[in-house]
Amino acid sequence: MIEMRHVSKRYGAVEAVRDLSFCAPKGQIVGLLGQNGAGKTTTLNMLTGYFPPTSGQVLVDGQDMLRHPRPCKRAIGYLPERPPLYDEMTTEEYLRFVCRLKEVARGDISAHVGEILALCGLSEVRSRVLGHLSKGYRQRVGVAQALCGNPPAVVLDEPTVGLDPRQVVEIRALIRELGKTHTVIFSSHMLPEIQQLCQRVVILHRGRLVREADMTELTDTGDVVRLRATIAMGERLLLPALKGLNCVQRVKVLPTQDAALTEVLLECRTACNDRGDPQTQLFRLLCGLDAPLRMLTQQRDTLEDVFLRATADEDVPPDGGR
């Protein structure tokens, strides 16, 4: 649905985005991640046609944004980090105004605005002046204006920033609902939020793409498994035995309050010849040592783990991407 091909953006001597290529397929929620200054907002501004790229192409449903700006922009609804609201208007007046800007047929505006008000949970404040609404409702109105004209794609820049916990849950539920019928791209600093909502993730660092993958692929550890175990044996005797297991690549001792227990994180190969899987090898070892196993869990990568590894090379310089 939306694709960037080798896109770069310069501001004088500063290259905010460099040779960026990624795709947001139809019907997916795609999360855009990056540290402050990684180039997220610049990328969203180019996706929506607000800024032209210095080089490269932005394609919307196969059409080039620079060559066909009108149909491309019509296909995308955009919520910037600060919703573009007119505080003297009521909610319904404002959405009608946006519909006229987006060239919705005059006879269809009333029904269209009614549908958007219902979808975004704004029916009860349709006659309220925008300047009197809470931040949560204002953010909902921002999402609502992005839906005017029924664009197939919606781009949201930090849609939950500054909201209280209940409002965050409500906006997340709205994004999840939009994902059923729209292509959604949104940026967020809240990694659990991205992991909950997105089918695909794009990670930027210093203006470059460092990872792009489906969420399941991103957090798949492949042929390595991490086991967290609490074992009733002292560290001095236990560690040499654990390190001697055929499958174990790395052992990390974790802090524990009970001196009679040792808690460890084991990084193990899943393919370790004919001696069984890592869990089986561990059970056999501990039985032979007469060391009771108090707890064993398998740990998978979180999105935070993936993000920190992908952006671990160095900090973004002060004049980095916007």
Side-chain angles (χ1 to χ4, degrees), residues 170-186:
E170 292 171 349
I171 294 296
R172 285 178 185 170
L174 177 56
I175 293 172
R176 191 175 287 112
E177 188 66 25
L178 291 177
K180 297 177 181 179
T181 54
H182 296 74
T183 297
V184 180
I185 301 175
F186 79 98

Side-chain angles (χ1 to χ4, degrees), residues 29 119 140 160 166-180 193 196-197:
I29 303 178
L119 175 62
R140 284 173 176 267
T160 60
R166 180 178 293 277
Q167 293 167 341
V168 168
V169 170
E170 292 171 349
I171 294 296
R172 285 178 185 170
L174 177 56
I175 293 172
R176 191 175 287 112
E177 188 66 25
L178 291 177
K180 297 177 181 179
E193 181 172 80
Q196 285 181 36
L197 294 175

Side-chain angles (χ1 to χ4, degrees), residues 26-71:
K26 289 183 179 179
Q28 282 197 2
I29 303 178
V30 177
L32 186 64
L33 285 173
Q35 297 171 326
N36 288 333
K40 300 187 301 299
T41 296
T42 295
T43 297
L44 296 184
N45 283 330
M46 290 189 291
L47 278 174
T48 55
Y50 188 73
F51 290 163
T54 304
S55 61
Q57 285 184 300
V58 177
L59 302 177
V60 180
D61 212 12
Q63 296 189 85
D64 188 297
M65 177 72 76
L66 289 179
R67 294 184 179 181
H68 307 282
R70 197 178 189 88

Side-chain angles (χ1 to χ4, degrees), residues 165-237:
R166 180 178 293 277
Q167 293 167 341
V168 168
V169 170
E170 292 171 349
I171 294 296
R172 285 178 185 170
L174 177 56
I175 293 172
R176 191 175 287 112
E177 188 66 25
L178 291 177
K180 297 177 181 179
T181 54
H182 296 74
T183 297
V184 180
I185 301 175
F186 79 98
S187 71
S188 175
H189 283 100
M190 300 177 67
L191 300 184
E193 181 172 80
I194 295 284
Q195 190 155 6
Q196 285 181 36
L197 294 175
C198 296
Q199 290 90 42
R200 193 166 186 80
V201 173
V202 174
I203 301 178
L204 303 183
H205 186 51
R206 296 172 58 85
R208 292 185 180 274
L209 176 71
V210 291
R211 286 297 301 272
E212 178 191 11
D214 290 340
M215 185 65 72
T216 52
E217 176 189 344
L218 203 65
T219 55
D220 184 9
T221 55
D223 61 354
V224 174
V225 63
R226 288 196 299 277
L227 301 176
R228 182 168 180 164
T230 303
I231 302 163
M233 175 175 273
E235 177 182 329
R236 184 177 63 83
L237 295 175

